[in-house]
Amino acid sequence: VYSLDGLLVFGLLLVCTCAYLRKVPRLKAWLLSEKQGVWGVFYKAAVIGTRLHVAVAVSCILMAFYVLVVK
């Protein structure tokens, strides 16, 4: 996370992981139940991942292309 592209990759991975964990009922109740505080960051990332799933998917594809081909 020392560069902008590393920070973007980290953010995309966080959003994708939290959106996936939101689909698992047991983990949703345990990890994504808090809406404020430190745990609220995971909840908000999961909401972004589920509501903007098309934009997140396109961003992941573009970032993968950037990391594999350009960089």
Side-chain angles (χ1 to χ4, degrees):
V1 255
Y2 294 114
S3 62
L4 179 62
D5 57 346
L7 186 65
L8 290 175
V9 169
F10 177 76
L12 281 172
L13 287 174
L14 178 73
V15 168
C16 292
T17 303
C18 289
Y20 175 75
L21 292 178
R22 189 172 182 177
K23 299 294 182 183
V24 181
R26 184 170 284 181
L27 290 176
K28 180 181 178 182
W30 177 69
L31 185 63
L32 302 172
S33 60
E34 294 292 325
K35 296 182 181 178
Q36 295 177 350
V38 176
W39 292 106
V41 173
F42 299 118
Y43 173 79
K44 291 173 186 174
V47 170
I48 290 170
T50 54
R51 290 187 183 171
L52 300 174
H53 62 277
V54 175
V56 171
V58 170
S59 299
C60 286
I61 291 170
L62 290 174
M63 186 54 75
F65 178 77
Y66 173 75
V67 168
L68 292 175
V69 177
V70 177
K71 192 174 180 185

